[in-house]
């Protein structure tokens, strides 16, 4: 599924925050306006609007988000839809936008990912998110942090990694976020900070987990005029019930989506210069890097310890801070990962977190605990 | 936006009902299984799953519906997403499915529209639906029945139509549903029944309004092997706030989506043999028929009175009973309209409601009160 000629002509990203008075539509409109401005394109040149969002109707009590956003942006008589794929809603919206262009039905598509998670209480949003796992698992009280805790425990035991090495994922991603102006947490944390933070799901602690976030990110996709090419986008579901998977450390959807994306882009893990992976929990960064073929099974933890995934390492991972420190406004994340890659490929980031000479980037956006994944490859 | 070679290879439609013990996933899986069987295609031949649904996360408390459905159907490692466009979610999912095929990225796509509206109380689902209008209008208490009542009042006064003529839309659609085995209401109603039914929003009464429904409909789209061609699918938003529209009787989104669809299909209203329009309220059938160019402004009511839109008339409209009598499970409706057209084009309906010799059909699926519309043309 090579995308033919689909390029990214402009990007926008609101600050990701832990609280805001802005509405869902305000946030989305701000990112979209910035992306259109960056692309130097007027709204009336846009053929379709693809909005990635998870919680509009539950947490935000807003239906018809795509129509409200089209109206706020003054996009008259545009084609507009919302795409929902839980925490991979953003990249799924990109997938649909890319397809719209490669089918010849849109010349220019606007993709906006947005989430406003703090408009209701924490219990309500937590419950809404918990319902994305298999129904039986939800009924048994199995939530995403629980799955991540079980996976972390299994990984550390099976592969002889120590708890400190896992903390180093958070330490790295927090460090990367310091100079990212849109990141939610721009402070460094030390290994001890992670290990001393409150326990969430053993062995994972608070600083192993992404936060609740608000924010939006946007891309202008175009059939030819952008400076970054989308050379692949591919999606795959995994076995829905985690309990039915062959191995709790496998994230089949990431493996399959990754393989499809590498095949479409005609490249291999070795030719990727920078990667944004879905580190909703520190352990996921390792599992995904292994499933994508960047590291052999059971060895990604050593790469973290050895600094290979740092900005100046062999494979910089999450140079924007990842979900961990940039924040994770669910539907916005998959788009924000691509915004970060575009900034890196343009060299348009501060030197402390710049991946020098990056020409090819990969992002993986994961729904739930590997229930569905979308992998995208960008090149300049 | 001609669709190139996209065909419908199979269809499925569960009974539409006012109550059921089936879950959202059960309903969707049943329609999908029937469509795959009708197409004589195994699930492993399907490349992508596009689920149209509005209320999963609010009324049904279910997130990640597309992943749950892929799992229930045993579609392994498939690409799956949910498309939400309020009451036009079904046709919007079709639009994305068609695009996936015409881009060359899918050979076979499964589109499922589904809604389960009765799992919570009426007040909760009514509130969720009410939130699809402009935020300010919601705050002022303007709901879809209110807009429809205002439009009906304006239409009757402006064009000299009488209240009985409007009731005849419901009478016709109920009559058409009698022999439709999946319809929610299979009883005829008389003009007096409509006029004696409880007042909802003057002048509209209960029998002018579609019901709350549960059900699912599915299509298998294929690049070549189907017996019905999708010759056009086009979408457009309208002015979001009804109060800001030039004329309360205009449904701009239907007009624009219709024009785009006619242009893409290379045909005109006169060449359409059968139409399924979005009669969520009786008045909408007239407004949409006029916006689509089937009748001049202010004359569709006469066509109803003269029997032109009856099954044996010059332009049979809603031969399956429409939203009025077939039922309106929101996300399912846009897909069910196309299932009905496929049945008509195949001649696969009982004689009392068959449009003899139909070769070309049109459907329009409307989000909200014209906030977004999708128009599709099928040919055999």
């Amino acid at each position: 599924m090579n995308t033919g000629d689909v390029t990214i002509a402009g990007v926008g990203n609101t600050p990701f925050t832990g609280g805001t008075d802005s509405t869902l539509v305000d946030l989305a409109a701000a990112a979209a306006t910035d992306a259109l401005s960056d692309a130097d394109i007027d709204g009336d040149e846009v053929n379709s609007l693809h909005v990635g969002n998870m919680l509009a109707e539950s947490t935000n009590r807003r239906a018809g988000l795509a129509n409200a956003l089209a109206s706020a942006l003054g996009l008259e008589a545009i084609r507009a839809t919302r795409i929902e794929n839980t925490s991979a809603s953003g990249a799924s919206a990109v997938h649909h936008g890319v397809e719209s262009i490669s089918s010849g039905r849109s010349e220019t598509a606007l993709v906006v990912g947005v989430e406003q998670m703090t408009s209701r209480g924490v219990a309500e949003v937590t419950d809404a998110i918990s319902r994305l796992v298999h129904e039986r698992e939800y009924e048994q009280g199995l939530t995403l942090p629980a799955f991540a805790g079980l996976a972390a425990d299994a990984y550390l035991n099976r592969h002889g990694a120590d708890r400190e090495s896992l903390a180093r994922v958070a330490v790295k991603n927090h460090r990367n976020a310091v100079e990212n102006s849109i990141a939610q947490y721009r402070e460094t944390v030390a290994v001890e900070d992670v290990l001393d933070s409150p326990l969430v799901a053993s062995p994972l602690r608070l600083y192993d987990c992404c936060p609740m976030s608000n924010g939006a990110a946007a891309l202008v996709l175009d059939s030819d005029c952008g400076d970054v090419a989308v050379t692949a986008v591919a999606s795959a579901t995994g076995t829905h019930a985690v309990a039915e998977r062959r191995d709790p450390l496998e994230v089949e959807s990431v493996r399959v989506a990754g393989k499809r994306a590498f095949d479409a882009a005609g490249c291999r893990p070795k030719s990727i210069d920078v990667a944004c992976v879905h580190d909703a929990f520190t352990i996921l960064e390792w599992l995904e890097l292994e499933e994508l073929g960047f590291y052999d099974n059971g060895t990604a933890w050593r790469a973290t310890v050895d600094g290979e995934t740092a900005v100046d390492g062999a494979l910089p991972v999450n140079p924007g801070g990842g979900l961990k420190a940039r924040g994770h406004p669910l539907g916005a994340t998959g788009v924000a990962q691509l915004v970060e890659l575009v900034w890196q490929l343009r060299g348009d980031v501060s030197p402390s977190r710049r991946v020098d000479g990056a020409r090819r980037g990969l992002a993986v956006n994961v729904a739930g605990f590997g229930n569905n994944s979308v992998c995208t490859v960008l090149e300049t």
Side-chain angles (χ1 to χ4, degrees), chain A:
Chain A
M1 284 178 279
N2 184 287
T3 59
D5 293 326
V6 180
T7 65
I8 298 176
V11 298
N13 209 117
T14 71
F16 284 180
T17 68
T20 176
D21 291 333
S22 297
T23 67
L24 198 57
V25 173
D26 290 342
L27 290 168
T33 301
D34 285 351
L36 289 167
S37 170
D38 184 42
D40 197 18
I41 280 183
D42 287 336
D44 58 12
E45 295 175 61
V46 178
N47 305 113
S48 61
L49 172 64
H50 308 262
V51 183
N53 168 269
M54 174 173 175
L55 298 171
E57 294 194 324
S58 53
T59 305
N60 305 111
R61 311 280 197 276
R62 174 118 296 277
L65 174 61
N67 302 325
L69 179 58
S71 172
L73 292 169
L75 301 174
E76 288 178 16
I78 196 171
R79 170 181 170 205
T81 41
R82 169 179 163 230
I83 315 293
E84 183 272 315
N85 189 9
T86 72
S87 43
S89 297
S92 290
V94 172
H95 196 157
H96 277 288
V98 164
E99 219 160 43
S100 187
I101 290 182
S102 61
S103 74
R105 300 170 143 262
S106 293
E107 280 185 30
T108 305
L110 177 59
V111 180
V112 186
V114 62
E115 211 73 59
Q116 219 282 20
M117 298 176 72
T118 62
S119 62
R120 304 272 157 177
V122 171
E124 184 175 320
V125 70
T126 300
D127 184 62
I129 295 168
S130 299
R131 291 170 185 274
L132 59 75
V133 301
H134 194 289
E135 201 164 9
R136 287 198 310 276
E137 295 181 323
Y138 170 79
E139 286 163 3
Q140 288 161 3
L142 279 163
T143 60
L144 297 177
F147 285 127
L150 291 166
D153 195 51
Y155 188 100
L156 297 180
N157 279 298
R158 190 184 301 178
H159 301 306
D162 55 22
R163 181 64 189 81
E164 289 72 14
S165 61
L166 193 54
R168 290 189 186 281
V169 175
V171 170
K172 166 183 72 70
N173 291 349
H174 269 277
R175 189 190 306 123
N176 290 347
V178 170
E179 294 292 325
N180 183 357
S181 63
I182 61 98
Q184 183 168 346
Y185 296 116
R186 301 183 60 188
E187 303 88 29
T188 56
V189 300
V191 168
E192 301 72 43
D193 296 328
V194 179
L195 299 182
D196 291 345
S197 66
L199 194 65
V200 171
S202 180
L204 296 180
R205 293 179 175 270
L206 188 64
Y207 286 9
D208 289 291
C209 308
C210 65
M212 299 268 186
S213 311
N214 304 307
L219 303 175
V220 175
L221 300 174
D222 192 274
S223 52
D224 53 21
C225 78
D227 52 351
V228 172
V230 183
T231 52
V233 55
S235 305
T237 50
T239 301
H240 195 47
V242 177
E244 291 172 7
R245 296 180 192 173
R246 196 171 50 176
D247 183 328
L249 296 185
E250 286 191 11
V251 194
E252 177 198 1
S253 63
V254 170
R255 184 171 67 251
V256 176
K259 182 176 183 327
R260 288 175 180 167
F262 282 123
D263 287 350
C267 69
R268 301 163 58 89
K270 282 200 189 313
S271 45
I272 298 294
D273 300 314
V274 52
C276 290
V277 305
H278 193 98
D279 58 324
F281 303 97
T282 46
I283 183 64
L284 283 178
E285 182 162 314
W286 290 347
L287 299 185
E288 292 164 24
L289 289 172
E290 294 177 6
E291 293 291 12
L292 290 165
F294 290 114
Y295 297 102
D296 289 340
N297 190 18
T299 67
W301 70 277
R302 290 189 194 276
T304 298
V305 173
D306 295 345
E308 285 186 33
T309 55
V311 168
D312 59 356
L315 177 72
V317 175
N318 288 327
L323 283 61
K324 179 71 215 71
R326 181 178 54 226
H328 183 28
L330 307 165
T333 285
V335 183
Q337 289 177 320
L338 302 185
V339 171
E340 170 66 18
L341 289 181
V342 168
W343 285 339
Q344 290 288 351
L345 298 181
R346 288 178 179 171
D348 193 16
V349 289
S350 54
S352 69
R353 67 182 198 86
R354 185 187 301 153
V355 180
D356 286 324
R359 301 289 304 277
R360 189 182 278 123
L362 174 145
V364 71
N365 187 200
V366 178
F369 201 71
N371 303 81
N372 199 329
S373 296
V374 185
C375 188
T376 309
V377 178
L378 304 185
E379 295 184 38
T380 189

